[in-house]
Amino acid sequence: MLESLTLHSLGRHAEALATMIEVALALKAASPSLLRYSRALAWYRDELRGAADEPENP
């Protein structure tokens, strides 16, 4: 969680959100309602991480 806040403070918002989604996915076993969305959340996390790797538009 602190990593996510640090990334957000550095202006790396996509990476921050991807990190928070990773936390939610780690807790999915404890929450049946999250389990239902785990595939979509994993896809979104991966998309955010991919977007973070791409250079900004000039």
Side-chain angles (χ1 to χ4, degrees), residues 23-35 38:
V23 170
L25 288 170
L27 298 173
K28 72 182 179 189
S31 175
S33 61
L34 268 180
L35 188 60
S38 63

Side-chain angles (χ1 to χ4, degrees), residues 15-41:
E15 290 175 86
L17 183 54
T19 302
M20 290 305 296
I21 291 172
E22 187 65 38
V23 170
L25 288 170
L27 298 173
K28 72 182 179 189
S31 175
S33 61
L34 268 180
L35 188 60
R36 172 178 346 165
Y37 298 104
S38 63
R39 194 168 100 189
L41 286 170

Side-chain angles (χ1 to χ4, degrees), residues 1-56:
M1 172 119 167
L2 290 176
E3 178 185 356
S4 181
L5 292 172
T6 300
L7 290 167
H8 178 68
S9 295
L10 293 171
R12 296 164 57 184
H13 308 296
E15 290 175 86
L17 183 54
T19 302
M20 290 305 296
I21 291 172
E22 187 65 38
V23 170
L25 288 170
L27 298 173
K28 72 182 179 189
S31 175
S33 61
L34 268 180
L35 188 60
R36 172 178 346 165
Y37 298 104
S38 63
R39 194 168 100 189
L41 286 170
W43 178 87
Y44 190 43
R45 176 207 53 210
D46 295 343
E47 287 293 308
L48 288 168
R49 286 191 175 149
D53 292 338
E54 295 176 5
E56 293 287 326

